[in-house]
Amino acid sequence: MLVNVPTDSDFSIHNLPFGIFSDSNNQTPRVGVAIGDQILDLHVLASAGLFEGCGEFSQNAVKGSLNDFMGYTSKEWRFVRQQISEFLTNDSHAVRLALPRHGLEALVEQSDSTMHLPCKIGDYTDFYASKEHATNVGTMFRGKDNALNPNWKHLPIGYHGRASSVVVSDTPITRPMGQRVLKMGEPPQFGPCMKMDFELEMALLVGKGNKLGDRIDIKDANEYIFGVVLMNDWSARDIQAWEYVPLGPFLGKNFGTTISPWVVTLDALEPFLVDIPTQDPTPLEYLQDSSKSGYDINLTVSIKPETSERYTTLSKSNLKYMYWSLKQQLTHHTVGGCNMNPGDLIGTGTISGPTPDSFGSMLELSWNGSNKICVNDENPEDFRCFLNDYDTIKLSGHCEKNGIRVGFGDCVGQILPAKTQ
Amino acid sequence: MLVNVPTDSDFSIHNLPFGIFSDSNNQTPRVGVAIGDQILDLHVLASAGLFEGCGEFSQNAVKGSLNDFMGYTSKEWRFVRQQISEFLTNDSHAVRLALPRHGLEALVEQSDSTMHLPCKIGDYTDFYASKEHATNVGTMFRGKDNALNPNWKHLPIGYHGRASSVVVSDTPITRPMGQRVLKMGEPPQFGPCMKMDFELEMALLVGKGNKLGDRIDIKDANEYIFGVVLMNDWSARDIQAWEYVPLGPFLGKNFGTTISPWVVTLDALEPFLVDIPTQDPTPLEYLQDSSKSGYDINLTVSIKPETSERYTTLSKSNLKYMYWSLKQQLTHHTVGGCNMNPGDLIGTGTISGPTPDSFGSMLELSWNGSNKICVNDENPEDFRCFLNDYDTIKLSGHCEKNGIRVGFGDCVGQILPAKTQ
């Protein structure tokens, strides 16, 4: 093995996620693969001939986004991943032996690198696919008996989000200004969001697309999914509450959405497939899928207040709780003929689990401000209902089974104060 | 004048809208300006040196989209338009005289051309800015006393739409399949949309953008608007009705949105500025604007059923009825820091007038199926409540004042049958 990977690393040889990076020696963003604490520079490997035989990947590895590669077939994605795996594990690999002769260095330290958005995101959609989350929100605002809307169990509810404001992990997020109602029944006032929140989500990135008017059959859906990232769908609850009837969330969401930089492929996640929760009523035929389509991915949200040096855990959840699968979301999205393009982002919606310590937002954890949440293990006096300025939120996620670990790295963002002028 | 422009032409010398075209002699999409029945080929004019002195426009005129040009300042947009105006009107213009010497032909027949999308649309937003439309829809579904939601008069309600399925005029639209409830209270069924509708809209295309976290002040808003097009926001009313609570329209809209190909600049529309309707209550300060910001633009919707050779008028409306101005829409959109990019599309929502013959959708014209609408002047037996397969809908719009006419051309789309397999 070329790289020594610690056993608790998210980026084992079983993972090999793709991302776009630059480093102090070469500031051109290019395709890399995370391995342990390192990044394998695919630009270098392409120039050394590792991807000969794989169409135009040698050229595309040079580019500053994954879109072209995403548009390949799943067979081609696999070929590239297989070449990389062999390069890393075969100590007598011809390309490996040739690199020093050409003065090439294939590895870059992650700590010396800057990560960029993995692709240009043409369209971004967010679903609402966790029954626990939808039930919590519904219970808060409509009472326990009407928690789930009549449509919720028949289709994956979703909405179009803002693609331009999707940013990569470590980008600061400015608290939005906006209209919110301070006292029920009174006119709205303009000012900084007072109910700033995170949402623990994952998201798929579309691989090859479909044409306008065509649809993706559920049995083929995985062929259209390039991979998965963590996503924090930052939410301004007070702005959202005032604006969202009847056309849905708008300014309450479009000031920023953070994704993790490393795209973990479905192939890497395959060992962690599990059944999704029982769906009752049985969905309509186009959404029916007898294969395993849930993923056992442990998810953690932690917070670092301005006054603290360390993170405190806010929530532990798991993607396996999600009611509607990724395949069902993608299939439903295209059933009316909506066209997908490589790099489109499709979020799951907040992934809450069944117990209060697994809820995926401050809205749920604090039950819309009724409970104060401790945000600092070392200082039980430091609590809040929503996020303060300079709070940093970190999402992390990993799978583990039979000694194999595949993780997502971190998805981090810090809240900056609103620009009041 | 280089071109003889009929008095009823949308494309007078006062208009000079920008678009992307190709023709049988040169199939490369490139920038053109409509004049009478002709297109002025800016690629040719750039190569003849007409735009020297205007930054990189000479290169950008060659491109197959307007995005780069849109990202210029309004001063630069004006300079280019001024150069074109002089070229057309000055019979001794040096570039005009030089063209034949170089064997160059600056004009192409519109009838011999294919129009393309004017730009790559990064994000598409649709507002709901007509009080008449919102009141009609609200009355139908919630009764007259609760027609407008409490937020409606305080902010321009809007939602994010699907950018990938925005198409240019003359692209056929496939009737979507989807879930809809046939009988209230019963489970949904899967099948072709049974309430296919158009929406008469206009839309602005963003010029230069703003950075994430910044906002556009209302007094500067026009500097960020490159121009305006007609838009048909095709709607599947039955699919929309079932899915839209609580996150807004999704598959009911994202199967296709049609825009007209020629982008009419705000400069061309300036003579037709009028006051917007009185806003009561006075909006919050960031939305206040004492300048004239409405536009007197006559809008017509007509239909051509499969059995007919000619169009029959369905509705006549006007942009001047719209409650929230284009400037207010753009300002509100960015007030929380949402970033705009050149070429982003922002629709007005359905533009309905005060009388039933000015309603901008079949939903309103037929009052959700209660009234049958004649779709063929020559056959009073040909009526319907929503659109049939092979119906063609045409939107058109023009301004006229003191003998000056500025128009938008047509925005056309035909409904094709659903793909049931």
Side-chain angles (χ1 to χ4, degrees), chain B residues 379-416:
Chain B
N379 177 7
E381 304 291 301
D382 199 355
F383 47 73
R384 64 202 51 165
C385 297
F386 291 95
L387 301 179
N388 287 1
D389 288 343
Y390 302 110
D391 281 353
T392 301
I393 291 288
K394 179 169 75 177
L395 313 183
S396 51
H398 74 276
C399 315
E400 202 150 14
K401 191 178 171 185
N402 303 332
I404 295 180
R405 184 180 164 114
V406 168
F408 289 80
D410 297 332
C411 178
V412 176
Q414 185 180 36
I415 305 297
L416 299 185

Short mmCIF file of all heavy atoms in Angstrom, two decimals, chain B residues 379-416:
data_model
loop_
_atom_site.label_atom_id
_atom_site.label_comp_id
_atom_site.label_asym_id
_atom_site.label_seq_id
_atom_site.Cartn_x
_atom_site.Cartn_y
_atom_site.Cartn_z
N ASN B 379 -65.21 27.88 -34.69
CA ASN B 379 -66.02 26.71 -34.30
C ASN B 379 -66.41 26.83 -32.83
O ASN B 379 -65.67 26.40 -31.94
CB ASN B 379 -65.21 25.43 -34.54
CG ASN B 379 -65.97 24.20 -34.08
OD1 ASN B 379 -67.15 24.28 -33.70
ND2 ASN B 379 -65.30 23.06 -34.08
N PRO B 380 -67.57 27.42 -32.57
CA PRO B 380 -67.98 27.67 -31.19
C PRO B 380 -68.22 26.39 -30.38
O PRO B 380 -68.43 26.45 -29.18
CB PRO B 380 -69.26 28.49 -31.33
CG PRO B 380 -69.72 28.33 -32.73
CD PRO B 380 -68.55 27.90 -33.56
N GLU B 381 -68.16 25.24 -31.06
CA GLU B 381 -68.31 23.96 -30.34
C GLU B 381 -66.97 23.49 -29.77
O GLU B 381 -66.93 22.51 -29.03
CB GLU B 381 -68.80 22.87 -31.31
CG GLU B 381 -70.10 23.20 -32.03
CD GLU B 381 -71.26 23.20 -31.06
OE1 GLU B 381 -71.50 22.16 -30.43
OE2 GLU B 381 -71.92 24.27 -30.92
N ASP B 382 -65.90 24.16 -30.15
CA ASP B 382 -64.57 23.71 -29.73
C ASP B 382 -64.18 24.47 -28.46
O ASP B 382 -63.66 25.58 -28.53
CB ASP B 382 -63.56 23.96 -30.86
CG ASP B 382 -62.30 23.12 -30.69
OD1 ASP B 382 -62.18 22.43 -29.65
OD2 ASP B 382 -61.44 23.17 -31.60
N PHE B 383 -64.48 23.88 -27.31
CA PHE B 383 -64.18 24.57 -26.06
C PHE B 383 -63.57 23.57 -25.07
O PHE B 383 -63.63 22.35 -25.27
CB PHE B 383 -65.45 25.22 -25.50
CG PHE B 383 -66.65 24.33 -25.49
CD1 PHE B 383 -66.76 23.28 -24.59
CD2 PHE B 383 -67.69 24.54 -26.41
CE1 PHE B 383 -67.87 22.47 -24.59
CE2 PHE B 383 -68.79 23.71 -26.41
CZ PHE B 383 -68.89 22.68 -25.50
N ARG B 384 -62.98 24.10 -24.06
CA ARG B 384 -62.36 23.23 -23.06
C ARG B 384 -62.05 24.02 -21.80
O ARG B 384 -62.11 25.26 -21.79
CB ARG B 384 -61.08 22.61 -23.62
CG ARG B 384 -59.98 23.60 -23.94
CD ARG B 384 -59.01 23.04 -24.94
NE ARG B 384 -59.73 22.52 -26.09
CZ ARG B 384 -59.21 22.21 -27.27
NH1 ARG B 384 -57.92 22.35 -27.46
NH2 ARG B 384 -59.94 21.75 -28.24
N CYS B 385 -61.71 23.30 -20.73
CA CYS B 385 -61.37 23.94 -19.45
C CYS B 385 -59.86 23.99 -19.25
O CYS B 385 -59.34 24.90 -18.60
CB CYS B 385 -62.01 23.18 -18.30
SG CYS B 385 -63.80 23.21 -18.38
N PHE B 386 -59.15 22.98 -19.75
CA PHE B 386 -57.69 22.95 -19.69
C PHE B 386 -57.17 22.59 -21.09
O PHE B 386 -57.97 22.52 -22.03
CB PHE B 386 -57.21 21.99 -18.59
CG PHE B 386 -57.54 22.51 -17.21
CD1 PHE B 386 -58.70 22.11 -16.55
CD2 PHE B 386 -56.72 23.44 -16.59
CE1 PHE B 386 -59.03 22.63 -15.29
CE2 PHE B 386 -57.04 23.97 -15.34
CZ PHE B 386 -58.19 23.56 -14.70
N LEU B 387 -55.88 22.40 -21.23
CA LEU B 387 -55.32 22.23 -22.57
C LEU B 387 -55.35 20.78 -23.04
O LEU B 387 -55.13 19.85 -22.25
CB LEU B 387 -53.87 22.75 -22.61
CG LEU B 387 -53.70 24.22 -22.23
CD1 LEU B 387 -52.22 24.62 -22.28
CD2 LEU B 387 -54.52 25.12 -23.14
N ASN B 388 -55.64 20.59 -24.31
CA ASN B 388 -55.62 19.27 -24.93
C ASN B 388 -54.26 19.01 -25.58
O ASN B 388 -53.51 19.95 -25.88
CB ASN B 388 -56.68 19.19 -26.03
CG ASN B 388 -58.09 19.11 -25.46
OD1 ASN B 388 -58.28 19.12 -24.25
ND2 ASN B 388 -59.08 19.01 -26.34
N ASP B 389 -54.00 17.75 -25.84
CA ASP B 389 -52.80 17.41 -26.62
C ASP B 389 -52.87 18.12 -27.97
O ASP B 389 -53.94 18.27 -28.55
CB ASP B 389 -52.73 15.90 -26.85
CG ASP B 389 -52.38 15.15 -25.56
OD1 ASP B 389 -51.88 15.80 -24.62
OD2 ASP B 389 -52.62 13.93 -25.50
N TYR B 390 -51.72 18.54 -28.42
CA TYR B 390 -51.53 19.23 -29.71
C TYR B 390 -52.04 20.67 -29.73
O TYR B 390 -51.92 21.34 -30.76
CB TYR B 390 -52.09 18.41 -30.89
CG TYR B 390 -51.47 17.04 -30.97
CD1 TYR B 390 -52.21 15.89 -30.66
CD2 TYR B 390 -50.12 16.88 -31.31
CE1 TYR B 390 -51.62 14.63 -30.69
CE2 TYR B 390 -49.54 15.63 -31.34
CZ TYR B 390 -50.30 14.50 -31.03
OH TYR B 390 -49.71 13.25 -31.06
N ASP B 391 -52.62 21.15 -28.64
CA ASP B 391 -52.89 22.59 -28.55
C ASP B 391 -51.56 23.34 -28.59
O ASP B 391 -50.57 22.91 -27.98
CB ASP B 391 -53.58 22.95 -27.21
CG ASP B 391 -55.06 22.63 -27.18
OD1 ASP B 391 -55.61 22.24 -28.24
OD2 ASP B 391 -55.66 22.76 -26.11
N THR B 392 -51.57 24.47 -29.31
CA THR B 392 -50.39 25.34 -29.30
C THR B 392 -50.78 26.65 -28.61
O THR B 392 -51.83 27.23 -28.92
CB THR B 392 -49.92 25.63 -30.73
OG1 THR B 392 -49.60 24.39 -31.36
CG2 THR B 392 -48.68 26.52 -30.73
N ILE B 393 -49.95 27.08 -27.67
CA ILE B 393 -50.20 28.35 -26.97
C ILE B 393 -49.15 29.35 -27.42
O ILE B 393 -47.95 29.04 -27.46
CB ILE B 393 -50.12 28.15 -25.44
CG1 ILE B 393 -51.30 27.32 -24.95
CG2 ILE B 393 -50.08 29.50 -24.71
CD1 ILE B 393 -52.65 28.04 -24.96
N LYS B 394 -49.62 30.56 -27.74
CA LYS B 394 -48.71 31.63 -28.14
C LYS B 394 -48.90 32.83 -27.21
O LYS B 394 -50.02 33.32 -27.06
CB LYS B 394 -48.98 32.05 -29.59
CG LYS B 394 -48.07 33.18 -30.07
CD LYS B 394 -48.15 33.40 -31.57
CE LYS B 394 -49.44 34.11 -31.96
NZ LYS B 394 -49.50 34.40 -33.41
N LEU B 395 -47.82 33.27 -26.60
CA LEU B 395 -47.84 34.54 -25.86
C LEU B 395 -47.20 35.59 -26.75
O LEU B 395 -46.21 35.32 -27.42
CB LEU B 395 -47.02 34.44 -24.56
CG LEU B 395 -47.22 33.24 -23.65
CD1 LEU B 395 -46.36 33.40 -22.38
CD2 LEU B 395 -48.69 33.07 -23.28
N SER B 396 -47.76 36.79 -26.74
CA SER B 396 -47.07 37.89 -27.41
C SER B 396 -47.23 39.15 -26.57
O SER B 396 -48.11 39.22 -25.69
CB SER B 396 -47.59 38.08 -28.84
OG SER B 396 -48.99 38.17 -28.84
N GLY B 397 -46.36 40.11 -26.81
CA GLY B 397 -46.39 41.33 -26.01
C GLY B 397 -45.73 42.48 -26.74
O GLY B 397 -44.76 42.27 -27.47
N HIS B 398 -46.31 43.66 -26.57
CA HIS B 398 -45.67 44.84 -27.16
C HIS B 398 -46.09 46.10 -26.42
O HIS B 398 -47.15 46.15 -25.77
CB HIS B 398 -46.02 44.95 -28.65
CG HIS B 398 -47.42 45.42 -28.89
ND1 HIS B 398 -48.49 44.57 -28.90
CD2 HIS B 398 -47.92 46.67 -29.11
CE1 HIS B 398 -49.61 45.26 -29.12
NE2 HIS B 398 -49.29 46.54 -29.24
N CYS B 399 -45.26 47.12 -26.54
CA CYS B 399 -45.54 48.46 -26.01
C CYS B 399 -45.76 49.37 -27.22
O CYS B 399 -45.13 49.17 -28.26
CB CYS B 399 -44.35 49.01 -25.25
SG CYS B 399 -43.57 47.84 -24.13
N GLU B 400 -46.58 50.40 -27.06
CA GLU B 400 -46.79 51.35 -28.16
C GLU B 400 -47.10 52.71 -27.56
O GLU B 400 -47.94 52.82 -26.65
CB GLU B 400 -47.93 50.88 -29.06
CG GLU B 400 -47.86 51.47 -30.44
CD GLU B 400 -48.46 50.52 -31.49
OE1 GLU B 400 -49.14 49.55 -31.11
OE2 GLU B 400 -48.22 50.76 -32.68
N LYS B 401 -46.41 53.72 -28.02
CA LYS B 401 -46.61 55.08 -27.49
C LYS B 401 -45.98 56.08 -28.46
O LYS B 401 -44.83 55.89 -28.87
CB LYS B 401 -45.91 55.19 -26.13
CG LYS B 401 -46.24 56.45 -25.35
CD LYS B 401 -45.52 56.41 -24.00
CE LYS B 401 -45.63 57.73 -23.27
NZ LYS B 401 -44.84 57.72 -22.04
N ASN B 402 -46.74 57.12 -28.79
CA ASN B 402 -46.23 58.18 -29.68
C ASN B 402 -45.60 57.61 -30.95
O ASN B 402 -44.54 58.06 -31.38
CB ASN B 402 -45.18 59.05 -28.96
CG ASN B 402 -45.73 59.66 -27.69
OD1 ASN B 402 -46.95 59.90 -27.59
ND2 ASN B 402 -44.87 59.91 -26.71
N GLY B 403 -46.24 56.58 -31.50
CA GLY B 403 -45.74 56.01 -32.75
C GLY B 403 -44.54 55.10 -32.61
O GLY B 403 -44.03 54.56 -33.58
N ILE B 404 -44.07 54.93 -31.38
CA ILE B 404 -42.94 54.02 -31.15
C ILE B 404 -43.48 52.67 -30.70
O ILE B 404 -44.30 52.60 -29.79
CB ILE B 404 -42.00 54.58 -30.05
CG1 ILE B 404 -41.36 55.88 -30.53
CG2 ILE B 404 -40.94 53.56 -29.68
CD1 ILE B 404 -40.44 56.50 -29.51
N ARG B 405 -43.02 51.62 -31.34
CA ARG B 405 -43.46 50.28 -30.96
C ARG B 405 -42.25 49.42 -30.61
O ARG B 405 -41.27 49.36 -31.35
CB ARG B 405 -44.25 49.64 -32.10
CG ARG B 405 -44.83 48.26 -31.74
CD ARG B 405 -45.61 47.67 -32.91
NE ARG B 405 -45.83 46.26 -32.70
CZ ARG B 405 -47.02 45.69 -32.50
NH1 ARG B 405 -48.12 46.43 -32.52
NH2 ARG B 405 -47.11 44.38 -32.32
N VAL B 406 -42.35 48.77 -29.49
CA VAL B 406 -41.30 47.86 -29.03
C VAL B 406 -41.99 46.57 -28.61
O VAL B 406 -42.88 46.59 -27.75
CB VAL B 406 -40.52 48.46 -27.83
CG1 VAL B 406 -39.65 47.41 -27.16
CG2 VAL B 406 -39.66 49.64 -28.29
N GLY B 407 -41.61 45.45 -29.22
CA GLY B 407 -42.31 44.20 -28.90
C GLY B 407 -41.35 43.06 -28.59
O GLY B 407 -40.13 43.20 -28.68
N PHE B 408 -41.93 41.95 -28.22
CA PHE B 408 -41.17 40.81 -27.70
C PHE B 408 -41.13 39.62 -28.65
O PHE B 408 -40.49 38.62 -28.35
CB PHE B 408 -41.74 40.38 -26.35
CG PHE B 408 -41.45 41.38 -25.27
CD1 PHE B 408 -42.22 42.54 -25.15
CD2 PHE B 408 -40.39 41.21 -24.42
CE1 PHE B 408 -41.93 43.50 -24.18
CE2 PHE B 408 -40.08 42.16 -23.44
CZ PHE B 408 -40.86 43.30 -23.32
N GLY B 409 -41.82 39.72 -29.80
CA GLY B 409 -41.94 38.52 -30.62
C GLY B 409 -42.86 37.54 -29.93
O GLY B 409 -43.63 37.92 -29.04
N ASP B 410 -42.79 36.28 -30.33
CA ASP B 410 -43.71 35.29 -29.79
C ASP B 410 -43.01 34.31 -28.85
O ASP B 410 -41.82 34.05 -28.98
CB ASP B 410 -44.35 34.48 -30.93
CG ASP B 410 -45.19 35.37 -31.84
OD1 ASP B 410 -45.72 36.39 -31.35
OD2 ASP B 410 -45.32 35.02 -33.04
N CYS B 411 -43.82 33.75 -27.96
CA CYS B 411 -43.36 32.68 -27.07
C CYS B 411 -44.35 31.54 -27.27
O CYS B 411 -45.50 31.62 -26.83
CB CYS B 411 -43.37 33.18 -25.63
SG CYS B 411 -42.89 31.95 -24.42
N VAL B 412 -43.91 30.51 -28.00
CA VAL B 412 -44.82 29.49 -28.51
C VAL B 412 -44.44 28.11 -28.00
O VAL B 412 -43.25 27.79 -27.88
CB VAL B 412 -44.77 29.47 -30.07
CG1 VAL B 412 -45.63 28.36 -30.64
CG2 VAL B 412 -45.20 30.82 -30.62
N GLY B 413 -45.45 27.30 -27.71
CA GLY B 413 -45.19 25.90 -27.35
C GLY B 413 -46.40 25.05 -27.62
O GLY B 413 -47.53 25.49 -27.41
N GLN B 414 -46.15 23.85 -28.12
CA GLN B 414 -47.25 22.90 -28.38
C GLN B 414 -47.17 21.74 -27.39
O GLN B 414 -46.09 21.23 -27.11
CB GLN B 414 -47.16 22.36 -29.81
CG GLN B 414 -48.34 21.47 -30.17
CD GLN B 414 -48.27 20.92 -31.58
OE1 GLN B 414 -47.19 20.61 -32.09
NE2 GLN B 414 -49.42 20.78 -32.23
N ILE B 415 -48.35 21.33 -26.92
CA ILE B 415 -48.42 20.19 -25.99
C ILE B 415 -48.40 18.88 -26.76
O ILE B 415 -49.21 18.66 -27.65
CB ILE B 415 -49.75 20.22 -25.19
CG1 ILE B 415 -49.93 21.56 -24.48
CG2 ILE B 415 -49.82 19.06 -24.21
CD1 ILE B 415 -48.88 21.85 -23.46
N LEU B 416 -47.45 18.01 -26.43
CA LEU B 416 -47.44 16.66 -27.00
C LEU B 416 -48.03 15.68 -25.98
O LEU B 416 -48.02 15.94 -24.78
CB LEU B 416 -46.00 16.24 -27.35
CG LEU B 416 -45.29 17.12 -28.39
CD1 LEU B 416 -43.93 16.53 -28.74
CD2 LEU B 416 -46.15 17.29 -29.65
#
